[in-house]
Amino acid sequence: MNPRAAAHRILAETRQGSFADQVAERVLPLVAQRDRGLALEIAYGCLRLRARLDRRIEACTDRPLKRIEAEVLDWLRSGTYELTELRTPSHAAVNETVKQARRAGSGAGTGFLNAVLRAVASDESDPFPDAREDPVGHMSTHGSHPEWLVRRWLERWSKHEVSALINHGNRPPPVVVRLIADLPPDALAAVARDGVEVAALPPWPRSYRLERGTPVEALERLPAVIQDPAASAVVDCLGDEIRAPVYDACAAPGTKTMGLAARTNGIVVAADASRRRIGRVRAVAARLGLPVATVVADARGPALASAATVLADVPCTGTGVLRRRPDARWRLDRDSLAELVELQREILDGCAGIVEEGGTLLYSTCSLESEENEMQVEAFLSRTPGFARDELRPGDFPNGCVTPAGDLFVRPWAHDADGSYAARLRRVG
Ligand SMILES: C[S@@+](CC[C@H](N)C(=O)[O-])C[C@H]1O[C@@H](n2cnc3c(N)ncnc32)[C@H](O)[C@@H]1O
């Protein structure tokens, strides 16, 4: 399959409601290995930078975007992305895009597509609001993040910080492998001779950036999972020896489960509400030879009567991982935030009910939003007298990752990692 046609398929199916990563997983194998990078770059780039591209397109046509056929608008976005972000020479970007659009059946729209792309190629204007005079306008168009989210973030952090957060959310993330076991001294050199090169990622322990080779090749050669350091830091909140039995209440796809199992001298039960996703946990545990029992269960009513350690890595808005889920920002709104906060509250209560006395409940998200993080935890502590916060020690984590209250909060712009939050809670009575 032609890479531009593949990118277009990913955009079309995502527009119709599918998740971009799931469509990409299906479509990319149809593309020659050497072209897969380009297909993914165009598709994910168009999703991330949709608002920026739309503003550029608007500057080059009198027709309102709403009145452009959706298929043609997708081709306009991908052509504009190639011209303005990838700096593909204009004749190649325009001709190839129009050719693929014609092949895909957008015949009637190709004259218009050709004319607008040529205008974009020669347009030297700056169509974005001024960053100083209208920061919200600039960040929601050039920065390509939803306006409501930009406004929320500006209420909390400085312009400088929000701008850095937005830039971070628009950059493709590195692939990071996290070792779940110690390696003999020469192991990484041997793996490098075998085609997989990784580089340490200070200040994050056991995290390595993949420099050469594919993620699949890396996982075939190393006792590791693909995991951002911000997610690894959540597991680190439980220390090096985790008390069993362990219940991982929202476990799929299981990257944190493996970190738990490697540090637990006893049973780890991994649960998830999704039957399809729990299968992934089983597969990863089998690859690594770790003793993990899996069960399909709702975290609001856990499948274990009691546990010494419970991880509630709850479903959340994921505003800390927008760079990894290029379509996610456009699905979020205030209503989905409110629904998730309610579900998280119920999961926290359900999980708290099985923690044995002296045991630990680790609550975590990959969100930056206070309602899902510290406000959620404060509300839990004030309605649940048997629990107290077990404060993390700042010295155990990279600089600035522990809040004054003693929770983990990894800020993407400050730590060059995804965003994550975790509160360690202990059952005291
Ligand atoms: C943030 S992800 C977990 C990521 C996982 N802990 C890891 O590190 O690989 C949240 C998970 O919660 C699951 N989920 C959603 N609602 C749930 C519920 N009510 N009970 C249990 N799991 C749920 C989703 O299927 C999803 O797999």
Side-chain angles (χ1 to χ4, degrees):
M1 190 176 194
N2 175 281
R4 290 176 175 89
H8 186 76
R9 168 95 64 90
I10 296 171
L11 291 178
E13 290 194 29
T14 306
R15 176 165 41 74
Q16 286 152 9
S18 301
F19 290 102
D21 56 343
Q22 290 174 15
V23 186
E25 221 175 284
R26 253 188 301 112
V27 171
L28 287 184
L30 308 175
V31 179
Q33 182 85 40
R34 65 173 185 282
D35 289 336
R36 284 182 196 166
L38 176 64
L40 201 62
E41 164 80 58
I42 296 176
Y44 278 17
C46 286
L47 291 167
R48 280 196 194 95
L49 297 185
R50 191 176 86 188
R52 184 189 296 180
L53 300 169
D54 284 359
R55 181 54 70 99
R56 289 201 188 280
I57 295 165
E58 276 167 341
C60 292
T61 171
D62 292 336
R63 205 182 288 181
L65 297 198
K66 299 200 278 298
R67 289 195 36 230
I68 301 175
E69 205 189 323
E71 295 275 322
V72 175
L73 184 54
D74 282 343
W75 287 116
L76 273 173
R77 286 173 177 152
S78 61
T80 302
Y81 184 78
E82 280 204 62
L83 286 165
T84 58
E85 302 295 327
L86 296 184
R87 304 267 165 210
T88 308
S90 56
H91 60 276
V94 177
N95 294 348
E96 277 302 309
T97 304
V98 171
K99 188 165 105 188
Q100 292 305 324
R102 194 170 292 124
R103 269 198 195 153
S106 294
T110 50
F112 172 71
L113 175 63
N114 188 39
V116 178
L117 285 182
R118 283 190 191 288
V120 170
S122 57
D123 184 31
E124 284 176 3
S125 69
D126 175 2
F128 303 105
D130 184 81
R132 283 218 190 105
E133 282 171 19
D134 180 5
V136 174
H138 187 82
M139 291 180 195
S140 57
T141 56
H142 189 269
S144 197
H145 276 62
E147 190 177 316
W148 71 275
L149 206 50
V150 172
R151 286 189 190 281
R152 275 176 72 83
W153 289 347
L154 281 170
E155 278 169 19
R156 196 157 153 220
W157 297 303
S158 71
K159 268 193 272 188
H160 178 74
E161 288 170 303
V162 177
S163 170
L165 171 59
I166 280 175
N167 289 337
H168 189 272
N170 287 338
R171 275 197 297 273
V175 176
V176 180
V177 294
R178 158 85 159 186
L179 297 180
I180 56 135
D182 289 327
L183 292 178
D186 292 344
L188 290 182
V191 170
R193 283 194 295 277
D194 206 15
V196 171
E197 228 170 289
V198 296
L201 207 58
W204 304 103
R206 292 189 170 179
S207 291
Y208 293 82
R209 195 208 324 255
L210 183 61
E211 303 279 352
R212 192 159 60 92
T214 65
V216 172
E217 288 165 343
L219 295 183
E220 278 166 3
R221 290 159 178 79
L222 292 166
V225 288
I226 304 292
Q227 186 177 61
D228 190 85
S232 306
V234 169
V235 180
D236 292 345
C237 292
L238 291 168
D240 284 337
E241 282 172 27
I242 301 174
R243 273 181 56 206
V246 178
Y247 189 74
D248 188 358
C250 304
T255 53
K256 294 193 187 76
T257 316
M258 302 310 138
L260 299 177
R263 297 178 195 187
T264 304
N265 196 5
I267 182 83
V268 174
V269 177
D272 200 278
S274 160
R275 185 172 295 278
R276 180 181 62 79
R277 284 169 62 81
I278 202 75
R280 294 195 168 200
V281 186
R282 262 197 303 277
V284 184
R287 171 172 65 78
L288 293 168
L290 288 168
V292 174
T294 55
V295 59
V296 178
D298 194 307
R300 292 170 285 191
L304 215 58
S306 84
T309 309
V310 177
L311 171 61
D313 187 35
V314 294
C316 68
T317 54
T319 53
V321 292
L322 292 181
R323 65 177 181 162
R324 292 194 186 275
R325 302 182 191 155
D327 49 337
R329 68 191 69 178
W330 309 118
R331 295 179 194 280
L332 291 175
D333 55 25
R334 287 194 184 80
D335 289 346
S336 52
L337 170 63
E339 279 165 25
L340 282 162
V341 168
E342 179 59 18
L343 175 61
Q344 292 156 358
R345 188 180 68 75
E346 292 171 7
I347 289 178
L348 250 178
D349 288 345
C351 286
I354 67 161
V355 180
E356 58 190 45
E357 199 164 332
T360 297
L361 170 58
L362 186 69
Y363 171 83
S364 64
T365 74
C366 54
S367 166
L368 304 175
E369 311 314 307
S370 302
E371 294 91 327
E372 299 179 89
N373 295 344
E374 65 276 14
M375 285 167 67
Q376 183 72 269
V377 167
E378 295 300 343
F380 169 78
L381 288 173
S382 57
R383 71 175 176 271
T384 321
F387 277 84
R389 197 183 242 119
D390 185 7
E391 292 181 21
L392 301 170
R393 287 193 318 199
D396 291 344
F397 294 87
N399 199 12
C401 286
V402 175
T403 67
D407 298 338
L408 176 79
F409 188 39
V410 182
R411 291 159 295 151
W413 69 92
H415 301 110
D416 196 17
D418 288 347
S420 68
Y421 168 85
R424 191 171 63 186
L425 310 166
R426 192 170 298 282
R427 173 130 188 241
V428 289

